[in-house]
Amino acid sequence: AASMAAFEYDNRRNRLAKSPRLNEIYGFPPDHEITLSDMQRRCHPADIERFRETFAPEPAVPVQNFEVEFRLLLPGDTIRWMSSRGEYARDPEGRLVKTRGIVMDVTDRKHVEERQILLMHELNHRVKNTLATVQSVVNRTLRGDARTDAMRRDIEQRLLALSRAHDVLTRENWESASLNSLVAEALRPYQESANRLTAKGPELRLPPQDVLGLSMALHELATNAAKYGALSVSGGTVEITWMIEANPRPKLVLRWREQNGPPPTPPQHQGFGTRLIERSLAHAEGAMVTLRYPREGAICQFELPPRSASPNPNTRMS
């Protein structure tokens, strides 16, 4: 009922244990004495190498368990997706003796996943079309009035920043997104200042609501830096760093720091950009945003409970 079959492969004797159910899944008669070569011939050409690695005389990396997905190309050009999980049994000297496990037909699940991905891209396409329509309405409404030209440009740039954040999330199926990618996309319009922009931190992944909030806040900070701050003069620099701090409780801390620019002036009144930055993480319980304006340059610090982090401690520069 589960479209599943068990298998046991004797690596020393190059022999598969008889299994009528395994024969059926691979498209052979129940009484056929299936071999590893039979199974490999049924593999989709694009997945043969993955199959060979699983059933190699000795895996390239010494592991105990394996999990692999591959396609079968069955008679009649029927393609079926398989998921296989199992273990490598070894003798006391550590030599591979048997490869055993189960194989399950997951074609229906794969089709559902493909439809989800298609729908996700279609939804993103429609959202971007809506943003483009809003941008056009704003442009036509405010066009031709010198007093509103700056307002129109600000709105258009914010819509583009929101669109770029959607692109980052769509590439990850709206499950989470890399903080490195988020920062890189937010700073992309300022590539001419790339030698004065540095970003450094561990590989972290954030949920969608944090990605959207931080993207918009970073856009506002970069815009302000280009207009009035460190990026408005030739020697100014911006440094973005992030880390997980443990005390007094675990939290993600991201700092935006400007240096060697004009001495910053605290805003006399809270404009939309400042409110957007300060409220970018309002949805996240325990999150905090702090803006400071020391003479050396503006500093903005974001603090939020860490959602998830990859085990890779290496950092990436952008």
Side-chain angles (χ1 to χ4, degrees), residues 77-311:
D77 293 331
T78 301
I79 295 177
R80 306 293 294 178
W81 271 98
M82 298 293 131
S83 175
S84 182
R85 300 181 183 183
E87 66 175 0
Y88 297 110
R90 302 177 183 277
D91 63 17
E93 285 73 37
R95 292 170 298 203
L96 185 58
V97 177
K98 291 182 179 180
T99 302
R100 57 196 177 199
I102 58 112
V103 60
M104 177 186 295
D105 189 324
V106 293
T107 304
D108 291 342
R109 173 171 66 80
K110 282 293 184 178
H111 287 168
V112 170
E113 291 175 356
E114 289 169 0
R115 285 195 294 271
Q116 286 177 332
I117 293 173
L118 181 63
L119 288 172
M120 187 68 68
H121 284 285
E122 177 62 21
L123 177 60
N124 186 59
H125 178 69
R126 295 190 182 192
V127 168
K128 294 187 73 172
N129 281 346
T130 300
L131 291 174
T133 301
V134 172
Q135 183 178 359
S136 177
V137 170
V138 169
N139 185 51
R140 291 177 179 275
T141 303
L142 302 180
R143 184 174 56 186
D145 188 338
R147 296 171 300 176
T148 60
D149 279 349
M151 183 190 305
R152 174 178 55 81
R153 287 193 297 270
D154 288 346
I155 294 174
E156 287 181 346
Q157 290 304 313
R158 284 165 179 152
L159 290 172
L160 289 173
L162 186 59
S163 177
R164 288 192 293 270
H166 274 254
D167 285 340
V168 172
L169 286 167
T170 300
R171 289 197 294 268
E172 304 291 344
N173 296 325
W174 276 80
E175 294 176 354
S176 64
S178 162
L179 182 51
N180 297 82
S181 298
L182 183 160
V183 172
E185 283 295 323
L187 301 181
R188 187 153 55 90
Y190 303 92
Q191 288 303 309
E192 68 277 4
S193 305
N195 60 326
R196 296 190 287 134
L197 286 165
T198 61
K200 182 179 180 181
E203 281 285 357
L204 296 176
R205 302 192 68 78
L206 301 179
Q209 61 268 32
D210 291 349
V211 171
L212 292 173
L214 279 175
S215 293
M216 297 303 293
L218 290 174
H219 165 76
E220 292 298 325
L221 288 168
T223 299
N224 290 339
K227 287 181 178 180
Y228 319 110
L231 299 182
S232 67
V233 295
S234 59
T237 61
V238 173
E239 180 184 54
I240 306 170
T241 59
W242 60 90
M243 66 191 75
I244 298 293
E245 293 187 354
N247 294 317
R249 61 181 184 273
K251 61 185 176 182
L252 166 63
V253 177
L254 184 146
R255 294 188 182 94
W256 170 286
R257 184 176 183 180
E258 299 181 29
Q259 291 180 298
N260 302 320
T265 303
Q268 298 301 311
H269 65 279
Q270 192 179 55
F272 176 79
T274 303
R275 290 198 301 273
L276 193 155
I277 294 170
E278 292 180 343
R279 299 177 185 177
S280 59
L281 301 177
H283 65 276
E285 184 177 355
M288 181 182 300
V289 181
T290 306
L291 276 168
R292 295 190 290 118
Y293 302 93
R295 184 173 180 81
E296 295 77 17
I299 298 175
C300 184
Q301 179 166 301
F302 303 89
E303 300 178 14
L304 66 160
R307 303 303 197 271
S308 60
S310 73

